[in-house]
C-alpha cells in the first residue's frame, strides 16, 4: 500500500561541497571547529586513518569515488584558482605533498567553501535506473559558484542523449517522467498535463536538436533546442531567449 518512487539526474558524477570527504566527527560544532581540527597535524592523521579504513554508517566519498575521481570545481580565493579542474591526486602533485594534506590545506585556506564533483557511476547504471517505472526526472541542482552541469542541462540531456541518441527511453516515456509522473508523485492535481483548467506550464522544444551543453569545467551554459517555456501562462523563454 506504499507508493514508491525515486528521483534521478542523468549524469555519472555527483556534486556537493568538498568538505564531505572529511569524517563526520570533523564537522561536529560547525565550520570554526572544522578549521580548528584541520590545523591540528595529529587530527589530520586520524582523518586520513578514518577515511582509509572507513566508519560504519558514513558515506565515504573517497572510498567510492577515489582520490582521482573527485575534482575541485570552485574556490573563494584567487590564489587557489589553480586547483579548479584538478582531481585530488593532481592537487597533491601540484602542491608537492600527499593528496590528503593538499586537500586539507585547501579546505583550511578556503574556510571549507570548496565545490567538487565526484565520478562514481557508470552509463550502464544511469540507464538501468532511468528505465525503471518508479523514476522521476530531476536536476538535484545547487546554484552558486561553478555548479554541476545538471543545473542547466538535466532535462535536455535526457531528451537529447538518452531519448534521441541512446534510445534508452521513448520520447513519450521521458516526457511522462518529467511532467505527469512527478506531479502525481507530489499530489499536484492541476499540473503535469496539458488540460483545460490546469496551470499553463508548457515547453516547446525541437526533438531533433535539444541537448545539454554544459560541462563539468564550464557548466553555466543554456541548452540547445528549447524554443519556448511558459510557466503559469507567462513566457519565461521566447524564441530561445
Amino acid at each position: 500500500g506504499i507508493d514508491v518512487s525515486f528521483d534521478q539526474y542523468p549524469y555519472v558524477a555527483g556534486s556537493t561541497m568538498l568538505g564531505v570527504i572529511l569524517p563526520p566527527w570533523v564537522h561536529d560544532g560547525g565550520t570554526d571547529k572544522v578549521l580548528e581540527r584541520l590545523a591540528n597535524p595529529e587530527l589530520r592523521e586520524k582523518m586520513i586513518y578514518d577515511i582509509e579504513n572507513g566508519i560504519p554508517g558514513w558515506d565515504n566519498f573517497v572510498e567510492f569515488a577515489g582520490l582521482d575521481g573527485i575534482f575541485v570545481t570552485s574556490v573563494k580565493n584567487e590564489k587557489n584558482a589553480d586547483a579548479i579542474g584538478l582531481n585530488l591526486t593532481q592537487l597533491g602533485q601540484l602542491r608537492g605533498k600527499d593528496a590528503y594534506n593538499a586537500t586539507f590545506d585547501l579546505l583550511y585556506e578556503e574556510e571549507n567553501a570548496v565545490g567538487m564533483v565526484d565520478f562514481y557511476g557508470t552509463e550502464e547504471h544511469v540507464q538501468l535506473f532511468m528505465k525503471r517505472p518508479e523514476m522521476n526526472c530531476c536536476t538535484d541542482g545547487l546554484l552558486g559558484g561553478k555548479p554541476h552541469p545538471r543545473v542547466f542541462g538535466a532535462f535536455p540531456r535526457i531528451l537529447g542523449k538518452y531519448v534521441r541518441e541512446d534510445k534508452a527511453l521513448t520520447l513519450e516515456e521521458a516526457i511522462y517522467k518529467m511532467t505527469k509522473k512527478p506531479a502525481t508523485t507530489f499530489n499536484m492535481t492541476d499540473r503535469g498535463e496539458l488540460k483545460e483548467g490546469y496551470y499553463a506550464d508548457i515547453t516547446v522544444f525541437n526533438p531533433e536538436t535539444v541537448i545539454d551543453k554544459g560541462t563539468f569545467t564550464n557548466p553555466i551554459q543554456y541548452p540547445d533546442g528549447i524554443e519556448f517555456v511558459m510557466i503559469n501562462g507567462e513566457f519565461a523563454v521566447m524564441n530561445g531567449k
Side-chain angles (χ1 to χ4, degrees):
I2 298 173
D3 290 327
V4 176
S5 72
F6 64 85
D7 302 338
Q8 180 195 36
Y9 54 87
Y11 297 84
V12 297
S15 172
T16 187
M17 302 306 288
L18 185 60
V20 299
I21 74 160
L22 302 173
W25 58 265
V26 181
H27 294 279
D28 190 25
T31 301
D32 289 345
K33 289 295 184 181
V34 172
L35 301 180
E36 193 177 298
R37 293 174 183 125
L38 285 170
N40 185 318
E42 291 182 3
L43 290 181
R44 284 192 178 201
E45 289 301 315
K46 177 170 169 47
M47 293 174 204
I48 295 171
Y49 179 86
D50 286 351
I51 290 170
E52 295 199 329
N53 292 279
I55 300 174
W58 169 46
D59 282 336
N60 188 335
F61 278 70
V62 173
E63 182 179 43
F64 62 70
L67 292 167
D68 56 354
I70 298 174
F71 290 76
V72 177
T73 58
S74 66
V75 295
K76 291 195 305 180
N77 299 307
E78 186 63 31
K79 72 170 187 172
N80 285 317
D82 57 350
I84 294 175
L86 301 181
N87 64 40
L88 301 188
T89 301
Q90 293 168 329
L91 177 65
Q93 293 167 347
L94 179 68
R95 298 290 191 255
K97 54 184 68 176
D98 69 272
Y100 287 114
N101 278 291
T103 302
F104 297 160
D105 287 348
L106 181 65
L107 288 169
Y108 182 79
E109 292 170 10
E110 295 294 320
E111 298 180 314
N112 200 27
V114 181
M116 63 98 146
V117 295
D118 53 300
F119 289 81
Y120 60 84
T122 67
E123 282 295 332
E124 180 185 9
H125 294 156
V126 170
Q127 294 197 26
L128 178 69
F129 282 99
M130 186 175 288
K131 292 176 181 179
R132 292 288 309 180
E134 301 89 351
M135 179 266 202
N136 298 305
C137 304
C138 81
T139 64
D140 194 27
L142 292 168
L143 292 164
K146 183 171 283 192
H148 191 294
R150 64 195 177 196
V151 171
F152 286 78
F155 285 42
R157 181 175 177 83
I158 291 173
L159 296 171
K161 173 175 169 55
Y162 292 100
V163 171
R164 184 177 66 246
E165 296 174 6
D166 296 351
K167 296 178 172 51
L169 296 174
T170 66
L171 183 60
E172 292 82 0
E173 287 172 328
I175 297 300
Y176 169 69
K177 291 182 175 191
M178 294 173 178
T179 55
K180 172 65 173 172
K181 185 180 182 307
T184 302
T185 298
F186 289 99
N187 296 313
M188 296 180 181
T189 57
D190 45 14
R191 297 189 190 274
E193 293 182 272
L194 295 177
K195 290 175 67 173
E196 186 175 347
Y198 276 46
Y199 286 97
D201 298 335
I202 301 169
T203 301
V204 179
F205 65 93
N206 184 339
E208 299 303 318
T209 61
V210 64
I211 195 66
D212 62 312
K213 294 171 66 179
T215 64
F216 287 99
T217 54
N218 186 18
I220 303 176
Q221 299 189 66
Y222 286 102
D224 282 339
I226 296 181
E227 301 301 322
F228 298 94
V229 177
M230 183 177 277
I231 303 170
N232 295 334
E234 299 286 341
F235 279 108
V237 177
M238 185 177 287
N239 296 317
K241 303 293 185 184

